[in-house]
Amino acid sequence: MKVAAISGYKPFELGIFKNDHPSVFFIKAALKKALIPMIDDGLEWVIISGQLGVELWAAEVVFDLKSEYPEVKLAVITPFLEQEASWSENNTEWYKAILAQADFIDSITKKGYEKPWQFRLKNQFFIEKSDTLILLFDHEKEGSPRYIYEMAVQYQNKHSYPIQLISFYDLQVIVEEEELKRSDF
């Protein structure tokens, strides 16, 4: 596997309104845990669409991993131009900081937002251009990741396409592992 697409919930879908929220640490730890074995097996690219939340946290994880794994690269491929146009100043700054460090940046549609079809086209592009999907998604919690998940499952019917879900149970395991590390057992 050379290319992994990563997606998941937006921050508000998880009740997270600041990047220093304690949950962000555990989400990043789960993403790192998913990525390291893939990088060890030859993963070269991580692709995200640059949406707030899991995708930008994944970008930060990739940047952190670059010190140990300089061969891994990040591509930010947005569904449309200027997706940050209506974001807050803080979120826009965060996004632009991610773009400044990305190895590749492009947009699937070379125009601004028009209609939801641009998101469907982005999901299709990500699935067809990647070898695997890492997705923070739990069947118990509806939200935006459901759309790429359902499309990936349909794609799996005709193609070999592994989907690695990170569920809320997986995050709870990470929380418990981190608590054990901190208590020196």
Side-chain angles (χ1 to χ4, degrees), residues 72-83:
V72 70
K73 295 176 187 70
L74 178 76
V76 181
I77 304 172
T78 64
F80 45 85
L81 297 174
E82 299 174 1
Q83 73 174 343

PDB file of all heavy atoms in Angstrom, residues 72-83:
ATOM      1  N   VAL A  72       7.588   9.638   4.213  1.00  0.00           N
ATOM      2  CA  VAL A  72       6.128   9.775   4.136  1.00  0.00           C
ATOM      3  C   VAL A  72       5.766  11.217   3.775  1.00  0.00           C
ATOM      4  O   VAL A  72       6.373  12.160   4.268  1.00  0.00           O
ATOM      5  CB  VAL A  72       5.416   9.299   5.430  1.00  0.00           C
ATOM      6  CG1 VAL A  72       5.669  10.235   6.585  1.00  0.00           C
ATOM      7  CG2 VAL A  72       3.931   9.131   5.207  1.00  0.00           C
ATOM      8  N   LYS A  73       4.800  11.341   2.853  1.00  0.00           N
ATOM      9  CA  LYS A  73       4.421  12.662   2.361  1.00  0.00           C
ATOM     10  C   LYS A  73       2.929  12.893   2.583  1.00  0.00           C
ATOM     11  O   LYS A  73       2.149  11.943   2.636  1.00  0.00           O
ATOM     12  CB  LYS A  73       4.745  12.776   0.871  1.00  0.00           C
ATOM     13  CG  LYS A  73       6.227  12.706   0.560  1.00  0.00           C
ATOM     14  CD  LYS A  73       6.448  12.724  -0.936  1.00  0.00           C
ATOM     15  CE  LYS A  73       7.884  12.487  -1.313  1.00  0.00           C
ATOM     16  NZ  LYS A  73       8.330  11.126  -1.059  1.00  0.00           N
ATOM     17  N   LEU A  74       2.556  14.175   2.641  1.00  0.00           N
ATOM     18  CA  LEU A  74       1.161  14.553   2.822  1.00  0.00           C
ATOM     19  C   LEU A  74       0.672  15.312   1.599  1.00  0.00           C
ATOM     20  O   LEU A  74       1.296  16.278   1.165  1.00  0.00           O
ATOM     21  CB  LEU A  74       0.992  15.451   4.051  1.00  0.00           C
ATOM     22  CG  LEU A  74      -0.451  15.932   4.259  1.00  0.00           C
ATOM     23  CD1 LEU A  74      -1.312  14.814   4.833  1.00  0.00           C
ATOM     24  CD2 LEU A  74      -0.500  17.151   5.149  1.00  0.00           C
ATOM     25  N   ALA A  75      -0.472  14.866   1.076  1.00  0.00           N
ATOM     26  CA  ALA A  75      -1.163  15.585   0.005  1.00  0.00           C
ATOM     27  C   ALA A  75      -2.483  16.107   0.559  1.00  0.00           C
ATOM     28  O   ALA A  75      -3.225  15.369   1.206  1.00  0.00           O
ATOM     29  CB  ALA A  75      -1.419  14.666  -1.189  1.00  0.00           C
ATOM     30  N   VAL A  76      -2.759  17.380   0.311  1.00  0.00           N
ATOM     31  CA  VAL A  76      -4.044  17.975   0.664  1.00  0.00           C
ATOM     32  C   VAL A  76      -4.759  18.243  -0.659  1.00  0.00           C
ATOM     33  O   VAL A  76      -4.332  19.089  -1.443  1.00  0.00           O
ATOM     34  CB  VAL A  76      -3.884  19.282   1.475  1.00  0.00           C
ATOM     35  CG1 VAL A  76      -5.250  19.853   1.827  1.00  0.00           C
ATOM     36  CG2 VAL A  76      -3.044  19.050   2.733  1.00  0.00           C
ATOM     37  N   ILE A  77      -5.817  17.472  -0.893  1.00  0.00           N
ATOM     38  CA  ILE A  77      -6.564  17.585  -2.146  1.00  0.00           C
ATOM     39  C   ILE A  77      -7.990  17.965  -1.770  1.00  0.00           C
ATOM     40  O   ILE A  77      -8.775  17.133  -1.329  1.00  0.00           O
ATOM     41  CB  ILE A  77      -6.500  16.274  -2.951  1.00  0.00           C
ATOM     42  CG1 ILE A  77      -5.029  15.890  -3.195  1.00  0.00           C
ATOM     43  CG2 ILE A  77      -7.263  16.422  -4.271  1.00  0.00           C
ATOM     44  CD1 ILE A  77      -4.820  14.521  -3.801  1.00  0.00           C
ATOM     45  N   THR A  78      -8.295  19.243  -1.933  1.00  0.00           N
ATOM     46  CA  THR A  78      -9.579  19.780  -1.488  1.00  0.00           C
ATOM     47  C   THR A  78     -10.682  19.471  -2.509  1.00  0.00           C
ATOM     48  O   THR A  78     -10.403  19.293  -3.697  1.00  0.00           O
ATOM     49  CB  THR A  78      -9.483  21.311  -1.277  1.00  0.00           C
ATOM     50  OG1 THR A  78      -9.207  21.942  -2.534  1.00  0.00           O
ATOM     51  CG2 THR A  78      -8.389  21.658  -0.276  1.00  0.00           C
ATOM     52  N   PRO A  79     -11.935  19.431  -2.060  1.00  0.00           N
ATOM     53  CA  PRO A  79     -13.030  19.177  -3.007  1.00  0.00           C
ATOM     54  C   PRO A  79     -13.268  20.354  -3.946  1.00  0.00           C
ATOM     55  O   PRO A  79     -13.734  20.173  -5.066  1.00  0.00           O
ATOM     56  CB  PRO A  79     -14.244  18.934  -2.110  1.00  0.00           C
ATOM     57  CG  PRO A  79     -13.878  19.414  -0.756  1.00  0.00           C
ATOM     58  CD  PRO A  79     -12.385  19.473  -0.679  1.00  0.00           C
ATOM     59  N   PHE A  80     -12.936  21.570  -3.486  1.00  0.00           N
ATOM     60  CA  PHE A  80     -13.146  22.786  -4.285  1.00  0.00           C
ATOM     61  C   PHE A  80     -12.188  23.858  -3.780  1.00  0.00           C
ATOM     62  O   PHE A  80     -11.586  23.725  -2.716  1.00  0.00           O
ATOM     63  CB  PHE A  80     -14.606  23.268  -4.209  1.00  0.00           C
ATOM     64  CG  PHE A  80     -15.171  23.266  -2.814  1.00  0.00           C
ATOM     65  CD1 PHE A  80     -14.970  24.335  -1.952  1.00  0.00           C
ATOM     66  CD2 PHE A  80     -15.888  22.170  -2.353  1.00  0.00           C
ATOM     67  CE1 PHE A  80     -15.477  24.320  -0.657  1.00  0.00           C
ATOM     68  CE2 PHE A  80     -16.397  22.150  -1.061  1.00  0.00           C
ATOM     69  CZ  PHE A  80     -16.192  23.223  -0.210  1.00  0.00           C
ATOM     70  N   LEU A  81     -12.049  24.927  -4.540  1.00  0.00           N
ATOM     71  CA  LEU A  81     -11.150  26.019  -4.167  1.00  0.00           C
ATOM     72  C   LEU A  81     -11.699  26.796  -2.977  1.00  0.00           C
ATOM     73  O   LEU A  81     -12.915  26.914  -2.817  1.00  0.00           O
ATOM     74  CB  LEU A  81     -10.959  26.969  -5.356  1.00  0.00           C
ATOM     75  CG  LEU A  81     -10.300  26.365  -6.603  1.00  0.00           C
ATOM     76  CD1 LEU A  81     -10.309  27.379  -7.741  1.00  0.00           C
ATOM     77  CD2 LEU A  81      -8.885  25.887  -6.316  1.00  0.00           C
ATOM     78  N   GLU A  82     -10.796  27.328  -2.181  1.00  0.00           N
ATOM     79  CA  GLU A  82     -11.127  28.220  -1.061  1.00  0.00           C
ATOM     80  C   GLU A  82     -12.162  27.621  -0.107  1.00  0.00           C
ATOM     81  O   GLU A  82     -13.091  28.290   0.321  1.00  0.00           O
ATOM     82  CB  GLU A  82     -11.598  29.578  -1.589  1.00  0.00           C
ATOM     83  CG  GLU A  82     -10.533  30.285  -2.396  1.00  0.00           C
ATOM     84  CD  GLU A  82     -11.024  31.561  -3.063  1.00  0.00           C
ATOM     85  OE1 GLU A  82     -12.203  31.938  -2.900  1.00  0.00           O
ATOM     86  OE2 GLU A  82     -10.206  32.190  -3.750  1.00  0.00           O
ATOM     87  N   GLN A  83     -11.956  26.357   0.269  1.00  0.00           N
ATOM     88  CA  GLN A  83     -12.907  25.721   1.184  1.00  0.00           C
ATOM     89  C   GLN A  83     -12.919  26.397   2.554  1.00  0.00           C
ATOM     90  O   GLN A  83     -13.888  26.302   3.288  1.00  0.00           O
ATOM     91  CB  GLN A  83     -12.646  24.220   1.315  1.00  0.00           C
ATOM     92  CG  GLN A  83     -11.431  23.828   2.111  1.00  0.00           C
ATOM     93  CD  GLN A  83     -11.341  22.322   2.320  1.00  0.00           C
ATOM     94  OE1 GLN A  83     -12.328  21.594   2.154  1.00  0.00           O
ATOM     95  NE2 GLN A  83     -10.167  21.849   2.669  1.00  0.00           N
TER      96      GLN A  83
END
